[in-house]
Amino acid sequence: MTVSPRFPLTALASACLLGGALLTSQAMAATTINLSYNGAPDPDKNAVHVFATNLKELVEDKTGGEIQLELYPNSMLGEEEDRMEQTMNTPKLNVASFAGVSPLVDEIFVSAIPFLFDDFDDARAFFDEGDYWHEIEATLRERAGVDMLAVVEEGGFLAFTNNKKAITHPDDFDGLRFRAMDPSQVALYESFGASGTPIPWTEVYMSLRTGVADGQMNPPMYIILGSLYEVQDYLTLANIQYSNQFLVGNSQMIEGWDNDIRDAFMEAVAEANHNARIHNESQVEERITFLEEQGMEVIRPSDEDLAAFRDIGQPAYLEWLSERGIDQQWVDMALEDAGMSDLLD
C-alpha cells in the first residue's frame, strides 16, 4: 500500500485506533429506557417510586451502565391504557395497575378475589411460586408481546375510606357511592350495597372533594400520597385485598439483549422488588398512625365483621368472574395456589 507523504504511517495508525475506539464506544453506548408509573416522585409517600428509583440504580450498576432508566412518575406518559399500549409497541418499561393489564389479560382479576391472602407472606408466595401466576405471565406475553417482570407492592392491603360514616360491617355501605379503580371493584361495592364508578387515580381527590364519590379503596400509602385524608374522615382496615401493581416490559426489547445483560437486568429487578417489600411492610403501621394524626377515625373491624365481609364479598366476586366469562380453570388454579380449594366445593 502506498501512503501519501501528507498522511504518514503514524497518523494512519492513530486514525485506525481512533476509528476502532469510536466503533467500540458506539457498541458500548448506554441504552436509555423509559420507566413510567403512577404517583408522585416522593419516597416518603409512594412505594412504587421507592421501587423505581432503586431499580434504576441497580440496573445501571449491574449492567455496567449499558442500560440506564429514565423515570417518568405521576402518569407523565399517559393514563394506564396509554402507557400499556406504549409498552406493547415501543422498547419501554411500565408499572401498571389492574386497569392497565386487565384489558389484555382479563384473567388477572382472579388474583383479586377478596380475602385470598392472610398476610404478606401468603401473597408473595402466590405471585412468586404459583401455577396460576406463571400462566398469567405466559398469557400476557403471548397476547400482547409484554413480559410480566415483577409484582410490586404498593403499600399494604386495601382499606376503605369515606366521608359519611364509620364502616364496620358490609351493611354500612348501603347507599354510598365509591370510586372504583376497575370493574372488579365496582362488583365488590355493589355486593355490599354501595355503587361504584371507575375514576382515574389523577381525578380521585377532586371527585371526593366535590362529592362525585363518597369514598374509595386503597392502601394507606395511596391515601397519604393523594392527600385523601383531607377529604375523607373514616378509614376502615378491612384488609380485603392485597395491593399490588405490575412491572412490565416490551418482550422484543428484552429478547434483544444479550444473555449477560438480560441476566443482570433480571437480577436487578429481583433485588429491587425484595428491597421494596421489606421497606413497604415496615411502613404500614406508621402510615396508619399518620392518618390517625391527620384526623381520620381508624376502624379495625372485629373478626365477626371481617367474616361478614368475606362471606358476602367472596361469593359475589366469584359470581362476577363467571359472568365476565373468565374460565373456571383460572379460578381453580388460583384457589389451589392460595390454599383455598375449599371454595371449589
Side-chain angles (χ1 to χ4, degrees):
M1 178 177 67
T2 302
V3 180
S4 166
R6 289 176 295 179
F7 199 81
L9 285 172
T10 53
L12 180 62
S14 297
C16 290
L17 287 172
L18 178 60
L22 287 172
L23 288 173
T24 302
S25 175
Q26 291 170 357
M28 297 292 289
T31 298
T32 300
I33 299 169
N34 294 344
L35 168 58
S36 57
Y37 52 96
N38 294 321
D42 187 335
D44 294 327
K45 295 180 179 180
N46 189 355
V48 175
H49 179 67
V50 172
F51 167 77
T53 53
N54 188 219
L55 179 63
K56 171 181 171 65
E57 179 182 332
L58 287 168
V59 165
E60 293 174 5
D61 177 60
K62 292 181 181 294
T63 65
E66 290 195 43
I67 296 179
Q68 297 185 5
L69 303 186
E70 187 76 26
L71 304 185
Y72 288 89
N74 263 338
S75 305
M76 290 171 63
L77 299 184
E79 298 292 353
E80 290 283 353
E81 292 192 31
D82 295 329
R83 301 201 320 265
M84 185 59 78
E85 185 175 350
Q86 294 163 18
T87 308
M88 293 168 61
N89 297 316
T90 60
K92 69 167 290 184
L93 300 168
N94 177 37
V95 182
S97 73
F98 279 82
V101 178
S102 60
L104 303 171
V105 183
D106 206 37
E107 295 86 351
I108 198 172
F109 282 126
V110 174
S111 69
I113 293 172
F115 298 102
L116 193 60
F117 315 115
D118 288 334
D119 52 34
F120 283 108
D121 289 341
D122 285 350
R124 292 163 184 169
F126 177 89
F127 289 105
D128 292 347
E129 305 165 11
D131 292 336
Y132 159 81
W133 195 249
H134 290 155
E135 286 297 320
I136 289 289
E137 293 171 339
T139 302
L140 179 63
R141 195 175 199 282
E142 179 182 351
R143 291 180 185 172
V146 172
D147 280 12
M148 179 73 72
L149 301 169
V151 176
V152 182
E153 289 180 5
E154 57 175 356
F157 284 75
L158 296 180
F160 299 114
T161 70
N162 83 100
N163 62 359
K164 295 296 185 183
K165 58 183 175 179
I167 293 175
T168 61
H169 185 277
D171 291 346
D172 297 326
F173 275 88
D174 187 45
L176 296 179
R177 297 169 297 178
F178 275 76
R179 174 263 177 174
M181 179 179 67
D182 53 55
S184 73
Q185 289 191 351
V186 174
L188 195 60
Y189 291 133
E190 290 178 348
S191 74
F192 296 145
S195 61
T197 302
I199 297 173
W201 168 250
T202 51
E203 300 174 19
V204 171
Y205 182 93
M206 190 57 65
S207 297
L208 296 171
R209 182 178 178 181
T210 58
V212 172
D214 300 316
Q216 59 89 53
M217 178 166 58
N218 257 306
M221 183 208 77
Y222 264 83
I223 299 166
I224 296 171
L225 177 65
S227 299
L228 304 187
Y229 52 84
E230 296 178 355
V231 290
Q232 300 280 270
D233 297 325
Y234 304 99
L235 172 69
T236 301
L237 302 176
N239 294 341
I240 196 165
Q241 291 170 319
Y242 175 70
S243 177
N244 55 348
Q245 295 193 39
F246 313 99
L247 176 67
V248 295
N250 180 275
S251 299
Q252 188 174 5
M253 170 188 74
I254 295 169
E255 284 178 358
W257 298 335
D258 65 44
N259 291 338
D260 289 342
I261 291 296
R262 191 183 308 111
D263 290 346
F265 174 81
M266 292 308 300
E267 183 180 325
V269 168
E271 186 173 336
N273 206 25
H274 173 74
N275 294 342
R277 287 173 172 180
I278 292 173
H279 173 80
N280 173 60
E281 190 170 358
S282 72
Q283 299 294 309
V284 172
E285 286 301 321
E286 183 178 320
R287 289 171 179 145
I288 293 170
T289 299
F290 173 83
L291 292 171
E292 197 166 23
E293 291 171 348
Q294 303 312 302
M296 295 194 77
E297 180 180 336
V298 176
I299 299 101
R300 298 178 186 266
S302 66
D303 290 343
E304 183 178 353
D305 288 331
L306 289 175
F309 278 113
R310 182 179 61 250
D311 292 345
I312 294 172
Q314 276 184 347
Y317 194 92
L318 291 170
E319 182 179 353
W320 176 79
L321 291 174
S322 176
E323 291 172 351
R324 199 167 174 87
I326 294 176
D327 196 290
Q328 184 64 32
Q329 67 172 342
W330 291 96
V331 177
D332 294 349
M333 273 194 295
L335 293 177
E336 289 283 353
D337 288 344
M340 299 180 64
S341 55
D342 57 302
L343 286 181
L344 299 174
D345 298 334

